[in-house]
Amino acid sequence: MTPIRMIAAALAALAVCAPTGAAARAALDVALVMDASGSMRRTDPMTLRIPAARMFVDLLDGADRVAVVSFSTSARVLGGLRSLDAAGTAAVEEAVGKVTSSGAYTNLYKAVSAAADLLERGGGVEGGERRRRIIVLMSDGKMDVGDPKRDEALVSKLKDGLVEELKRRSIRVYTIAFTEESDMALLEEVARKTGGLFNVAPSDDVFHLVFGSIFESLKEPDMLPIEENTFFVDKAVDELTVVASKHSPETHITLVAPGGVEFTAATRDPSTRWSVARTFEMITIPDPADGTWKILFSTENNKAYIITRLGIETSLDRLNVMLGEGVPVNAWLEDAGGVVTVPEILDELDFDLHVSLPDGSTEKAELADDGGEGDVEKGDGVFSTVYRPALTGPYKFRLVAVSRTFEREKTFSFNVYEPEPAGAEAHGVAHSGGEHGAAAPDRDAPAGGHDGGHDGEGGGHGEEAPQSDEEPGADSDGGVWSGAVVKFLLINLLAAGAVLGWLNRRRLGGVREKWASLAARLAGLVGKKKE
């Protein structure tokens, strides 16, 4: 190990390294844009999108800001950007509750345009640091303003004009296509080209799962792995938030703490925040007891988010990947911002990658810190592998670290697309590094095995534009001047011919011969210039 790496390792062991993960990420400005068209009365009759959106707001940090926009024929701002302190959170959740299902039409262009303008007016800078600006757009329909020709024009205006403006403003759009009646192709394209993530909610009872997935993508929270509704809390966990899915609205979720003590919404400790919705319950426990916890009367789709000094960090940051590309996976443990390199901890650590594929199947791969494929240096605390997707569609990574004394999990979602045909327009931006995920510590370059380059803001994965064989600057001033001389000579030659014809008609023989001689001389000059 080089002296620089030895110093870095020592600093990491002392936990005095500069934060490289969640603590260093910029706060969010989020515009929640929710469909209020009349069709939502049929597709979401119990308005389950309302508690799901409120759950999303509750999961964000106090430094984040959220605005609420509803749309149908036009867009309506129900609440401007508010910081998520206690008063701000209450105001945002009240605004979410004002979303109706009474609109006549579905104007997606107005919805996105209004949200973008709202975020632009918000400034997006705090303490000299640029906030990440996000639109979360949910719709169950296609562009419909009552005029098919205008619908088509607005779709083109959205794709060809507004999307480019969003990219220029660095505003990313996370879209939720609700039911198969929505314009999935349009919502997917808007998300992909702005560097956001396309999501599908096939039914109203999974809204909270989709909003939870978007939260995980935006904030990359530390989590505890849950197996058979059981999870382990260690002493480094400062706060625990459980989101438990319910079999039915009548289900009452029960938490069993270490020692066998059971809690429900009715019997919870006064310090515990417990909210109940038809499809899920959300429980936040400060300073939870360490040991094994269990969730009763719940489905398998549960999450345990934590606030802790000991968590997983990763360099994963690409939400849109081309089929055939390798995806480098680099992950490490951080303790209070420093990379954990203590051999006694790493030797006991199992680091696995669990992959959910588009066809519903799963795969598992082991991450290694052995200097093998994708790993830069053995024993540096960074565990790596390279994953190569074989199918197009949505993927989810679960990074799980298990030791004798603690367990951690982090998730990451992305979509895989077919490469564009040669000469076609590029697929739009990939999620740029530095905003989402952390750079692998103490490394000069990403791990090997990445078949395609990672594009920054405004980049893409299409074919590179063909380059001209002509050297830049070949059309110099000299070339322009030469063309002007040739044109001048040709014009004078034509003029001479015209005069010659006139003289011939007037039978001015001697003068005609002189003009003929002049014309011949001009023709000779033109010939030399062309040579």
Side-chain angles (χ1 to χ4, degrees):
M1 180 179 289
T2 65
I4 293 177
R5 288 185 181 273
M6 292 177 65
I7 293 172
L11 290 174
L14 293 172
V16 295
C17 289
T20 59
R25 295 188 192 102
L28 297 174
D29 275 356
V30 180
L32 273 176
V33 185
M34 304 183 69
D35 197 331
S37 60
S39 61
M40 294 299 296
R41 288 196 300 269
R42 173 173 49 83
T43 56
D44 184 23
M46 305 304 297
T47 61
L48 298 182
R49 65 194 186 279
I50 303 301
R54 286 173 169 165
M55 179 204 75
F56 172 77
V57 173
D58 280 339
L59 288 172
L60 295 176
D61 298 333
D64 298 324
R65 300 191 300 181
V66 178
V68 182
V69 178
S70 70
F71 71 97
S72 54
T73 304
S74 60
R76 179 186 176 197
V77 177
L78 300 178
L81 284 170
R82 292 290 301 267
S83 296
L84 296 180
D85 53 16
T89 299
V92 171
E93 293 187 357
E94 181 181 358
V96 169
K98 295 178 181 178
V99 176
T100 66
S101 302
S102 58
Y105 296 107
T106 304
N107 193 330
L108 294 166
Y109 177 84
K110 284 281 190 181
V112 177
S113 178
D117 289 343
L118 187 154
L119 291 175
E120 190 73 11
R121 291 194 303 270
V125 178
E126 183 171 311
E129 185 175 24
R130 186 74 177 178
R131 288 172 169 270
R132 291 184 291 153
R133 299 190 291 183
I134 305 295
I135 294 173
V136 178
L137 170 66
M138 187 279 295
S139 178
D140 74 337
K142 297 177 172 61
M143 185 80 76
D144 178 14
V145 296
D147 180 349
K149 289 186 177 180
R150 189 158 174 252
D151 294 341
E152 185 177 348
L154 285 173
V155 168
S156 297
K157 193 175 180 181
L158 173 58
K159 294 195 298 184
D160 301 332
L162 186 53
V163 163
E164 293 303 315
E165 181 64 17
L166 293 171
K167 289 164 62 177
R168 187 187 68 78
R169 296 181 183 182
S170 298
I171 296 175
R172 303 175 186 273
V173 184
Y174 283 62
T175 55
I176 304 173
F178 179 43
T179 78
E180 295 182 355
E181 298 179 17
S182 60
D183 193 338
M184 292 194 183
L186 177 61
L187 295 175
E188 180 275 324
E189 183 174 347
V190 170
R192 170 171 48 83
K193 287 190 173 181
T194 60
L197 187 67
F198 171 65
N199 302 267
V200 177
S203 59
D204 56 357
D205 59 348
V206 298
F207 268 136
H208 68 289
L209 299 179
V210 175
F211 273 103
S213 180
I214 293 174
F215 162 71
E216 292 167 18
S217 179
L218 289 172
K219 301 298 291 187
E220 299 183 43
D222 291 302
M223 303 167 65
L224 299 176
I226 299 177
E227 298 293 338
E228 297 181 350
N229 282 337
T230 299
F231 57 92
F232 179 77
V233 175
D234 58 88
K235 295 182 182 298
V237 175
D238 297 322
E239 184 177 275
L240 166 69
T241 296
V242 174
V243 178
S245 298
K246 299 165 67 168
H247 290 288
S248 70
E250 291 74 31
T251 298
H252 298 289
I253 298 296
T254 299
L255 275 184
V256 183
V261 180
E262 296 186 359
F263 298 95
T264 66
T267 63
R268 70 183 185 276
D269 185 270
S271 64
T272 298
R273 302 193 305 275
W274 199 308
S275 59
V276 178
R278 292 180 63 87
T279 56
F280 69 93
E281 296 187 16
M282 180 172 167
I283 308 106
T284 299
I285 304 171
D287 194 22
D290 55 294
T292 300
W293 290 68
K294 190 171 182 62
I295 308 170
L296 300 180
F297 314 119
S298 176
T299 69
E300 293 294 322
N301 296 316
N302 301 318
K303 300 297 177 71
Y305 304 112
I306 58 173
I307 295 177
T308 178
R309 72 171 192 274
L310 178 65
I312 296 175
E313 287 301 332
T314 173
S315 60
L316 289 167
D317 65 352
R318 298 183 60 197
L319 300 181
N320 302 298
V321 175
M322 296 299 104
L323 188 65
E325 290 184 317
V327 180
V329 182
N330 302 307
W332 58 96
L333 286 176
E334 281 195 3
D335 186 355
V339 181
V340 175
T341 58
V342 180
E344 290 79 8
I345 296 177
L346 299 183
D347 289 345
E348 292 186 349
L349 188 65
D350 291 326
F351 229 135
D352 294 324
L353 173 66
H354 301 257
V355 184
S356 297
L357 280 71
D359 61 2
S361 63
T362 59
E363 295 177 345
K364 181 180 177 181
E366 182 179 352
L367 278 70
D369 184 17
D370 58 2
E373 182 184 21
D375 190 55
V376 172
E377 181 176 343
K378 180 179 180 179
D380 64 351
V382 179
F383 292 73
S384 306
T385 189
V386 178
Y387 181 79
R388 292 180 171 83
L391 302 172
T392 58
Y395 283 75
K396 173 162 278 190
F397 283 172
R398 288 178 58 235
L399 289 160
V400 178
V402 177
S403 178
R404 184 172 54 85
T405 57
F406 65 88
E407 299 177 357
R408 292 292 184 271
E409 176 180 321
K410 183 153 288 190
T411 66
F412 185 80
S413 298
F414 62 97
N415 289 315
V416 175
Y417 298 96
E418 288 280 2
E420 288 281 3
E425 182 184 358
H427 251 305
V429 298
H431 198 100
S432 61
E435 274 197 7
H436 192 94
D442 196 23
R443 294 188 172 194
D444 297 327
H450 188 181
D451 298 328
H454 169 54
D455 297 307
E457 186 70 36
H461 296 286
E463 294 294 318
E464 185 177 353
Q467 299 296 316
S468 171
D469 292 332
E470 184 178 356
E471 185 178 352
D475 190 15
S476 62
D477 291 342
V480 173
W481 172 246
S482 298
V485 170
V486 171
K487 289 180 181 179
F488 172 78
L489 293 174
L490 287 173
I491 290 171
N492 280 275
L493 180 60
L494 291 173
V499 172
L500 183 61
W502 178 79
L503 291 174
N504 186 51
R505 289 195 300 271
R506 299 296 297 251
R507 301 182 182 278
L508 297 177
V511 178
R512 182 185 63 190
E513 291 176 359
K514 291 181 180 180
W515 278 102
S517 175
L518 176 60
R521 291 173 62 188
L522 288 171
L525 287 172
V526 171
K528 289 181 179 180
K529 192 62 184 177
K530 288 183 177 179
E531 292 174 359

